[in-house]
Amino acid sequence: MAQEPPLDVPTVKRLAARDPTAVTVNDWLLYPTLRVYSLYSDNLFQAPRNGIASPGVGVTPGLVAIWTNGIHTTTLYGNLDRQVYPDANEVNTLDGRAGFSQRYEAMRDLSFTVDANYVRRTWSSSLQSAIQVPQTAPTSTVLPNGDTRLPNGTIVSPTGQVVGQSAPAPGSVLPLLVNPSNRYAGTFTVEKLFNRGILTLSGSAARIEYEGQGLPNNSSRTFTEHAGFWLGPLLYIYSEGVVGNVALDATPTSTPASTTSHRAVGGLGTSRIGLFRLSAYYGHQGSDSSSIGGHATAGGDVYGGRISYEPFRQWTLTGTVDITNNIASSSATTDLALSLPGVVAVQIPTTASTRIASTSVQSSYEISQLWFADCLVSYSRIQYVDGSRLDNSWIFNGTLRYDIRRDTSLTWEYRYTNLQSNTPLVGFKSNYVSMGALYKF
């Protein structure tokens, strides 16, 4: 979604704010964390019938290390996540991530970033994304209001005071299966600031190798673009585009295939008008696949918008809507899924002719200085144009956090997923609850 472009190029470089809880070693800032949690799901793999129900326990140690002199910034990061399910040991997970990022700020308005990382996953989704955008390094980010979000999620003011904590993203809501994978990726990013504008270009290459059967190994390349410019004190224009190519390896049951997909939008946004911020966009998405067996294309218009309502500092309410059309020339089977901006409980193949309407409402509320609540409600309607199939996806995710101390917090989460379909053996229901403790050393 749109993000306000900066108003000007900073004349004075401000180093990243220091978290009072960060561990300092010489000129390095270390952000070690440890999370322990328990969970329960009545349908772990979101199966239409006979789903796996099991409790589980997990532990996630992590570390982010940052060194900067204002011009050069080096970031090292890694974490390890272990989940054990006593009633279903065959689905136990051992996931992890490790990487580094090097940022060079040649001038105050021009920077270059190189990132390389490795990701290990035990569970995989049933289809691979047609546009494989790599994960970004957990670096410090200056927010539009001037605060800084640190790598461990802590939000501090320009003076270094802790003023909040970013909400964790909801866990996966897609159909899953046990199929361990190893992903190697590299990314190069250029960011250019203008007076009242910004332009960011990024290119990446990745390789995914699966240890099990079902999904073919693949190599991918992705190029992304983001630009935004103010037209005046009220309106700004922006564009966001991504083009990705996925080359699937040959398997005993399939031939090699190459698919190039894109999604590009342009739109208008506003600065704060009273208690509201608005943005709207229009664009196109599509894919072009070729293999020994033939050639297929798909695509259609996309449009949508976003409205944010902030009645007071402690509460923000955001609503989004997205319409994605995908009319395909062939209904052949594929291992690739549409890349959608919303949270949907089902993957949609790129070769399926569909009209997808997604809406969501998200609320973030600071109950007190110690209690924080986040809630997401998402609904998507997926209509298959070439047939009678109709899916309705409902997702509710609620999180409650209690900060015992500045470095320790407890989190409770509940997620309800419901996919309703008029096609047999497609719909499912899933309830997921978890409780965890996070300690920042």
Side-chain angles (χ1 to χ4, degrees):
M1 286 298 180
Q3 183 177 356
E4 288 188 10
L7 290 173
D8 52 36
V9 177
T11 57
V12 178
K13 171 64 178 178
R14 179 170 67 86
L15 296 179
R18 289 177 176 257
D19 184 354
T21 63
V23 178
T24 303
V25 178
N26 294 329
D27 293 330
W28 286 83
L29 291 179
L30 306 183
Y31 299 91
T33 59
L34 177 64
R35 178 176 179 249
V36 293
Y37 57 97
S38 61
L39 60 91
Y40 174 79
S41 175
D42 62 358
N43 190 356
L44 272 176
F45 291 82
Q46 302 173 358
R49 60 175 58 178
N50 301 324
I52 298 176
S54 176
V57 293
V59 58
T60 309
L63 174 65
V64 178
I66 297 179
W67 174 90
T68 182
N69 62 3
I71 297 177
H72 300 276
T73 301
T74 302
T75 304
L76 307 176
Y77 56 93
N79 62 46
L80 190 67
D81 182 62
R82 173 65 169 170
Q83 292 182 1
V84 176
Y85 297 88
D87 297 341
N89 288 325
E90 68 277 7
V91 303
N92 291 346
T93 69
L94 180 60
D95 299 340
R97 181 187 182 198
F100 79 91
S101 173
Q102 183 66 45
R103 176 184 171 92
Y104 169 54
E105 191 166 323
M107 295 179 286
R108 301 191 195 282
D109 60 353
L110 179 64
S111 64
F112 304 89
T113 304
V114 176
D115 180 85
N117 63 70
Y118 163 76
V119 178
R120 162 78 176 187
R121 291 279 184 261
T122 303
W123 295 354
S124 301
S125 55
S126 54
L127 297 176
Q128 305 177 68
S129 176
I131 301 179
Q132 299 185 6
V133 179
Q135 298 178 349
T136 58
T139 58
S140 297
T141 303
V142 178
L143 302 177
N145 63 359
D147 293 341
T148 299
R149 182 175 61 240
L150 298 169
N152 60 3
T154 301
I155 300 175
V156 297
S157 67
T159 59
Q161 296 178 331
V162 177
V163 295
Q165 177 78 20
S166 60
S172 175
V173 296
L174 296 175
L176 301 171
L177 52 94
V178 177
N179 190 4
S181 65
N182 299 283
R183 187 176 194 270
Y184 312 87
T187 305
F188 179 74
T189 303
V190 179
E191 182 181 84
K192 172 65 175 176
L193 297 178
F194 303 89
N195 284 329
R196 309 181 68 81
I198 186 173
L199 172 65
T200 304
L201 304 176
S202 178
S204 65
R207 173 72 179 174
I208 300 180
E209 296 182 352
Y210 292 92
E211 298 179 6
Q213 301 295 322
L215 290 175
N217 300 336
N218 72 81
S219 299
S220 64
R221 293 170 295 169
T222 307
F223 176 79
T224 61
E225 169 271 339
H226 169 79
F229 297 91
W230 285 97
L231 299 178
L234 181 63
L235 289 176
Y236 65 89
I237 59 172
Y238 72 95
S239 67
E240 295 175 349
V242 56
V243 178
N245 175 267
V246 178
L248 303 177
D249 294 357
T251 68
T253 59
S254 65
T255 59
S258 176
T259 300
T260 299
S261 305
H262 71 273
R263 184 181 176 97
V265 300
L268 284 171
T270 72
S271 59
R272 184 164 176 167
I273 305 175
L275 302 177
F276 296 90
R277 296 178 189 268
L278 308 171
S279 67
Y281 61 87
Y282 179 84
H284 190 273
Q285 71 82 29
S287 62
D288 191 313
S289 303
S290 61
S291 65
I292 297 177
H295 180 266
T297 60
D301 296 337
V302 298
Y303 51 93
R306 174 186 180 118
I307 179 171
S308 294
Y309 173 62
E310 190 174 352
F312 44 88
R313 185 186 64 82
Q314 293 84 359
W315 184 36
T316 301
L317 191 65
T318 303
T320 63
V321 59
D322 176 82
I323 310 297
T324 298
N325 296 288
N326 189 65
I327 307 302
S329 63
S330 171
S331 59
T333 59
T334 180
D335 293 303
L336 300 179
L338 285 175
S339 297
L340 300 173
V343 183
V344 185
V346 64
Q347 289 180 302
I348 298 133
T350 56
T351 55
S353 294
T354 54
R355 291 191 176 94
I356 306 151
S358 299
T359 60
S360 69
V361 177
Q362 185 168 7
S363 173
S364 297
Y365 182 55
E366 180 181 337
I367 303 172
S368 69
Q369 293 183 343
L370 300 178
W371 289 92
F372 305 85
D374 291 277
C375 178
L376 170 69
V377 179
S378 173
Y379 168 72
S380 299
R381 184 179 187 272
I382 304 105
Q383 179 183 3
Y384 288 76
V385 178
D386 294 337
S388 59
R389 178 177 169 180
L390 177 64
D391 295 348
N392 291 279
S393 165
W394 291 91
I395 297 170
F396 170 83
N397 195 95
T399 303
L400 181 65
R401 190 181 85 249
Y402 172 55
D403 291 344
I404 302 175
R405 302 188 310 176
R406 190 168 56 186
D407 56 3
T408 307
S409 61
L410 297 177
T411 303
W412 296 265
E413 180 180 6
Y414 170 72
R415 181 170 67 246
Y416 172 73
T417 307
N418 185 356
L419 179 65
Q420 302 171 351
S421 178
N422 58 6
T423 300
L425 299 179
V426 172
F428 65 85
K429 293 182 181 179
S430 173
N431 292 276
Y432 169 93
V433 292
S434 72
M435 174 180 176
L438 176 66
Y439 181 71
K440 304 173 185 178
F441 293 84

